[in-house]
Amino acid sequence: MTTPSRVVRLTVDDVIHDDDQVLLRLGEPPSPVPAPVADLLLSWIPNRDNMNTATNRDSRWLFPGRRAGQPMHSDALSALVNDLGIPTTAGRVSAIREHVLEMPAPVVADALGYHQVTTAKLAAQAGSTWSRYAAGDHLRSPSGWIPGRTDDS
């Protein structure tokens, strides 16, 4: 899950335009960007805000800030996105709730970089059935455990 604080740290080098496909490097491998968003992204790059000051002319930030050499503040980006009618916090929480309904909260926390308490609370609110999941390494046998005999052995 990519938060506004991570999005503002993207640079124009994180946007990969390869023939007919646009990819965004949010992690590895880069993620494909759907066509309507890709068009907006590609048209944004040459027309980015805050590029007129002498110290920002060569900025590589995808979302340059008002201060030279700094990206846009994450709160400013969230406000812009909210002004477009996209509720960033509600959307993020909704997405996490969907994940905790499909898999255990500790797994979601590890995968998305959230604290396990946060995902556990969202799982409880969403009515998740994974409440008895035991987090941890399930590949090792408990200490002192001896496998039982089967008919094959």
Side-chain angles (χ1 to χ4, degrees):
M1 179 85 32
T2 303
T3 61
S5 60
R6 283 188 59 199
V7 171
V8 297
R9 309 273 325 155
L10 293 172
T11 67
V12 293
D13 302 318
D14 291 318
V15 179
I16 303 160
H17 190 198
D18 185 25
D19 295 324
D20 61 339
Q21 187 175 30
V22 176
L23 303 170
L24 186 59
R25 189 176 295 117
L26 299 169
E28 290 299 327
S31 302
V33 179
V37 177
D39 294 341
L40 288 171
L41 191 56
L42 292 175
S43 66
W44 168 258
I45 292 172
N47 300 303
R48 292 172 287 157
D49 289 340
N50 302 322
M51 295 295 291
N52 294 331
T53 63
T55 53
N56 250 5
R57 288 196 197 284
D58 298 323
S59 176
R60 303 301 295 162
W61 295 117
L62 187 56
F63 300 101
R66 290 183 182 170
R67 293 178 53 198
Q70 296 296 313
M72 181 183 289
H73 193 276
S74 60
D75 290 343
L77 180 62
S78 292
L80 290 173
V81 172
N82 282 325
D83 289 346
L84 293 172
I86 303 168
T88 55
T89 303
R92 190 169 49 250
V93 170
S94 177
I96 295 170
R97 283 187 178 145
E98 286 298 317
H99 288 306
V100 296
L101 289 173
E102 296 176 12
M103 64 187 96
V107 173
V108 174
D110 288 344
L112 301 179
Y114 281 87
H115 195 278
Q116 289 185 5
V117 172
T118 302
T119 56
K121 286 180 183 177
L122 292 172
Q125 293 169 358
S128 173
T129 58
W130 290 98
S131 62
R132 298 189 193 281
Y133 175 79
D137 185 359
H138 295 276
L139 299 176
R140 297 183 330 192
S141 299
S143 63
W145 181 78
I146 301 171
R149 292 181 45 90
T150 63
D151 293 336
D152 297 349
S153 53

